[in-house]
């Protein structure tokens, strides 16, 4: 008998109720997904997620009161304060935007979001994005994320103490970790990395874990940003 797993718990944060209703019906139509909370702005989102645990949050960027960027920052700060192993510590946020080259999306990723998605993305892409970010084994919409990062690469290359720290961390990667790091930065999933380097997926997962720890990165999207910051990936490559 296959193991029965609990549905992925999704929270919807958008100031338009019609948008939340549409997404909610789509998500709840899937046996492995369930909407557990809704909110109309960032403040409501923080309150809702204090009362209800969620695995993945779909977060609109532009909202009255508190926007999605500040809400993302605060929710992830609260998650970081949770005990290790707590379900609430593992929450992931996907930012919803109407523009794929939007500085708000970059700000949200820098605030800790696990990726972003266009509001008019096809339904199957939205559903797969939730599952992908929950698994944590790939970057959402790598082509779209790459276009965004190519667009803002000059901003990422600005010298800051954090950027210098990241460059030193990259230097501490082993040769194999560096190979895996570069493939993550290209948006490759664990199975793709395993196939490309002739490794098992379990071995790739171990390398990814070491890379995240050494770089102080919360997830793969942060790794991609660090790759751009440190020049490992150049715009258009």
């Amino acid at each position: 008998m296959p193991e029965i797993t609990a549905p992925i718990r999704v929270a919807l944060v958008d100031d338009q109720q019609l948008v939340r209703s549409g997404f909610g019906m789509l998500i709840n139509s899937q046996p492995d997904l369930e909407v557990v909370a809704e909110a109309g702005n960032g403040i409501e989102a923080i309150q809702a997620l204090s009362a209800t645990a969620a695995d993945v949050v779909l977060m609109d960027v532009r909202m009255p009161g508190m926007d999605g960027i500040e809400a993302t920052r605060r929710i992830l700060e609260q998650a970081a304060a949770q005990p290790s192993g707590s379900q609430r510590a593992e929450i992931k946020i996907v930012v919803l935007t109407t523009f794929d080259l939007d500085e708000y999306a970059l700000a949200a990723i820098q605030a800790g979001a696990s990726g972003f998605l266009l509001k008019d993305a096809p339904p199957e892409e939205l559903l797969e994005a939730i599952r992908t970010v929950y698994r944590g084994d790939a970057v959402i919409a790598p082509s779209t994320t790459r276009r965004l990062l190519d667009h803002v690469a000059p901003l990422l290359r600005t010298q800051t103490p954090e950027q210098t720290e990241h460059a030193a961390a990259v230097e501490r990667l082993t040769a194999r970790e560096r190979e895996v790091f570069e493939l993550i930065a290209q948006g490759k999933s664990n199975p793709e990395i395993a196939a490309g380097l002739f490794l098992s997926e379990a071995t790739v997962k171990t390398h990814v874990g070491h890379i995240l720890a050494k770089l102080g990165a919360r997830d793969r999207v942060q790794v991609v940003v660090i790759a751009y910051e440190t020049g490992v990936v150049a715009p258009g490559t």
Side-chain angles (χ1 to χ4, degrees):
M1 288 285 290
E3 184 183 348
I4 298 173
T5 56
I8 300 169
R9 299 165 299 181
V10 182
L12 300 175
V13 185
D14 194 294
D15 61 335
Q16 297 179 54
Q17 186 166 357
L18 197 59
V19 171
R20 296 201 308 270
S21 296
F23 283 164
M25 284 191 290
L26 174 65
I27 291 165
N28 285 330
S29 72
Q30 304 296 301
D32 61 331
L33 305 175
E34 178 187 10
V35 175
V36 295
E38 292 189 25
N41 61 40
I43 295 169
E44 289 180 11
I46 291 168
Q47 292 170 341
L49 292 168
S50 296
T52 305
D55 301 307
V56 178
V57 182
L58 295 184
M59 177 80 74
D60 189 20
V61 172
R62 297 178 184 84
M63 296 179 292
M66 181 189 291
D67 66 19
I69 297 167
E70 181 61 23
T72 294
R73 188 176 292 112
R74 294 197 191 187
I75 289 165
L76 293 178
E77 280 176 359
Q78 290 179 357
Q82 297 295 316
S84 179
S86 162
Q87 283 187 320
R88 291 178 184 270
E90 301 300 321
I91 191 168
K92 303 287 181 66
I93 297 178
V94 178
V95 172
L96 297 170
T97 180
T98 49
F99 304 101
D100 61 345
L101 295 180
D102 186 342
E103 69 274 17
Y104 290 101
L106 174 68
I109 287 175
Q110 290 180 317
S114 294
F116 73 99
L117 197 68
L118 299 183
K119 276 191 175 182
D120 60 358
E124 60 274 14
E125 193 173 315
L126 174 75
L127 296 170
E128 189 51 36
I130 295 169
R131 296 178 180 116
T132 296
V133 86
Y134 175 72
R135 291 194 306 266
D137 70 353
V139 175
I140 284 204
S143 61
T144 314
T145 302
R146 286 293 297 272
R147 284 207 306 277
L148 170 81
L149 293 171
D150 282 351
H151 184 67
V152 298
L155 298 176
L156 290 173
R157 293 305 304 276
T158 304
Q159 285 287 336
T160 64
E162 186 179 43
Q163 196 261 14
T164 304
E165 188 180 310
H166 287 159
V170 169
E171 289 299 315
R172 289 195 293 271
L173 297 177
T174 66
R176 177 62 89 186
E177 287 167 354
R178 173 73 181 223
E179 286 181 309
V180 175
F181 171 56
E182 291 177 4
L183 291 170
I184 294 172
Q186 292 169 24
K188 302 294 186 186
S189 66
N190 284 1
E192 289 170 333
I193 294 171
L197 296 179
F198 304 102
L199 300 171
S200 70
E201 283 190 48
T203 300
V204 170
K205 282 185 178 179
T206 300
H207 285 312
V208 171
H210 291 161
I211 291 164
L212 292 172
K214 287 185 178 181
L215 299 183
R218 188 169 190 274
D219 61 22
R220 298 167 85 99
V221 171
Q222 307 298 318
V223 171
V224 176
V225 170
I226 290 170
Y228 272 81
E229 283 179 351
T230 54
V232 170
V233 174
T237 58

